[in-house]
Amino acid sequence: MKKKIVSAVLCSAMLATVLAGCGGGDAAPAASAPAAEAPAAEEAPAEEAAPAEEEAPAEEAAEAPAASEGGRTIGYTCMDGTNPFFVALEGAIREVVESHGDTLVSMDPANDSNTQIDQIEDMISRGVDVMFVNPVDADGIIPALDMLKDADIPMFGFDTQVGDMSYLVSYAGSDNYNAGYVCGKDLAEKCPEGGDILVLDSPTMQSVTDRTDGFLAALEESGVTFNIAGQQDAQGNQQVGNEKATDLLTASPDVVAIFGGNDPTALGAYAAADAAGVTPMIYGVDGSPDVKALLKDTIMEGTGAQSPISIGKTIAETAYKWLDGETVEEFIPIETFLITADNVDEFGTDGWQ
């Protein structure tokens, strides 16, 4: 068992980093402050959408429109724009969009499904030509997808699947099941005697559900006996994860491990365990710089790593291939793998892999 660092400075810095930055921002989002997304909205006022409409005549709407000299308005929504994962992912999409001379309009629903629907409706009114979609709630977003479909706006999904994938032209996302599976496999190998564990999931987020399923499947396949002492919805959020883990650890302080459905949730659990003076092995999913920095000499044991940069770049390039009339894959899986203290130096802690 690795030693636990009890450092207020480290935890404060870690929390500040997440607040500045999607886990998921899974740091307590402020619904009234879409921060990084606001400038993009200002750069793409409604009247700028008109040229794109002129370049794509109505009779061509049923098919992939040919790429223009630029001037398209591209919409983007994710579950939580403050999550460092989504900050990096949005940046990768923005780079591709702007390289084509187009404008990306990003909006942050701050993990609120109703807000996300309203924001998508607003982007439709702005005249977006293409929409990149990551749902707060896989089924709850369907009304917004219906509006996009009625407006003949093609949709491209990323990271988390929507309840009905037939709405999407294409989807790119991590192998989330495997991201959880590698964590469960590692825990079973390191803790062959088994024991009580805690699970911080998020049932409305399909990506987190897949990770949790993979984690639990690996434990079951191992033959080692683990008992779930508590399982709570942490909403993919660091602050909520901290609150849930604090309550669960009060009831079950002797758990051997905690699984968080994303890295912000795991960071919340890390802070809760530190405050409670207990040392469970903690696993997350993302491969975020903050978690990678804690993998050596702390109770942060591992993270099922994914690459937000690869996801963002892949789905954006796929959208432009489709706009150029190419046939694209409907589902594009992105590799996931485990990062622990043993291999973290290969990936570094100062950025995303």
Side-chain angles (χ1 to χ4, degrees):
M1 183 71 67
K2 295 186 286 188
K3 67 180 182 179
K4 173 171 68 71
I5 291 179
V6 182
S7 168
V9 174
L10 176 59
C11 290
S12 297
M14 176 264 297
L15 290 172
T17 299
V18 175
L19 287 169
C22 78
D26 301 54
S32 61
E37 286 71 20
E42 294 174 1
E43 293 167 7
E47 57 269 21
E48 293 181 359
E53 296 286 350
E54 295 171 2
E55 294 165 5
E59 59 268 21
E60 297 178 7
E63 300 180 0
S68 69
E69 291 299 319
R72 292 190 182 94
T73 300
I74 312 296
Y76 169 97
T77 181
C78 71
M79 62 182 71
D80 188 346
T82 66
N83 185 324
F85 176 87
F86 287 116
V87 171
L89 196 155
E90 193 265 9
I93 289 179
R94 181 177 295 277
E95 183 176 349
V96 174
V97 168
E98 293 182 350
S99 73
H100 286 79
D102 296 333
T103 299
L104 185 70
V105 178
S106 297
M107 290 193 177
D108 176 17
N111 272 322
D112 185 283
S113 185
N114 290 327
T115 298
Q116 186 168 49
I117 292 173
D118 291 342
Q119 290 178 342
I120 289 174
E121 186 172 18
D122 179 48
M123 283 188 275
I124 292 173
S125 71
R126 292 170 180 261
V128 296
D129 300 289
V130 174
M131 192 74 201
F132 291 111
V133 178
N134 169 269
V136 171
D137 185 307
D139 293 318
I141 199 173
I142 297 299
L145 303 187
D146 282 328
M147 288 188 286
L148 287 164
K149 183 177 181 179
D150 290 343
D152 292 321
I153 298 172
M155 296 162 262
F156 293 82
F158 60 91
D159 181 63
T160 300
Q161 297 181 36
V162 297
D164 183 347
M165 295 293 283
S166 68
Y167 283 92
L168 306 180
V169 174
S170 183
Y171 168 86
S174 297
D175 184 343
N176 285 301
Y177 184 90
N178 183 68
Y181 186 91
V182 293
C183 292
K185 182 178 179 181
D186 188 70
L187 172 59
E189 292 173 351
K190 292 178 177 176
C191 192
E193 68 279 11
D196 289 345
I197 63 173
L198 301 177
V199 176
L200 298 175
D201 59 13
S202 184
T204 66
M205 300 177 186
Q206 189 59 49
S207 58
V208 175
T209 296
D210 291 344
R211 297 165 189 174
T212 303
D213 289 346
F215 175 75
L216 296 178
L219 296 185
E220 184 176 356
E221 290 177 14
S222 73
V224 179
T225 301
F226 289 96
N227 173 59
I228 301 177
Q231 184 167 356
Q232 292 287 325
D233 178 4
Q235 301 174 26
N237 181 278
Q238 181 172 338
Q239 179 175 323
V240 177
N242 178 263
E243 294 169 355
K244 298 292 187 180
T246 297
D247 291 342
L248 291 172
L249 286 171
T250 298
S252 305
D254 298 323
V255 296
V256 298
I258 301 175
F259 174 73
N262 62 6
D263 276 358
T265 300
L267 287 169
Y270 173 88
D274 183 69
V278 294
T279 59
M281 291 183 283
I282 298 177
Y283 290 86
V285 172
D286 279 338
S288 67
D290 286 335
V291 164
K292 287 189 292 184
L294 293 171
L295 289 176
K296 290 188 175 181
D297 301 317
T298 84
I299 57 174
M300 191 67 73
E301 194 67 31
T303 177
Q306 52 183 342
S307 173
I309 295 173
S310 293
I311 295 172
K313 183 177 180 181
T314 297
I315 195 60
E317 291 179 344
T318 298
Y320 278 100
K321 287 179 181 178
W322 184 82
L323 288 169
D324 285 337
E326 296 183 32
T327 299
V328 298
E329 296 293 328
E330 293 181 1
F331 187 91
I332 307 171
I334 307 296
E335 178 188 12
T336 56
F337 49 92
L338 184 69
I339 298 180
T340 67
D342 295 334
N343 64 352
V344 68
D345 288 340
E346 299 176 23
F347 303 99
T349 60
D350 57 351
W352 291 89
Q353 53 285 333

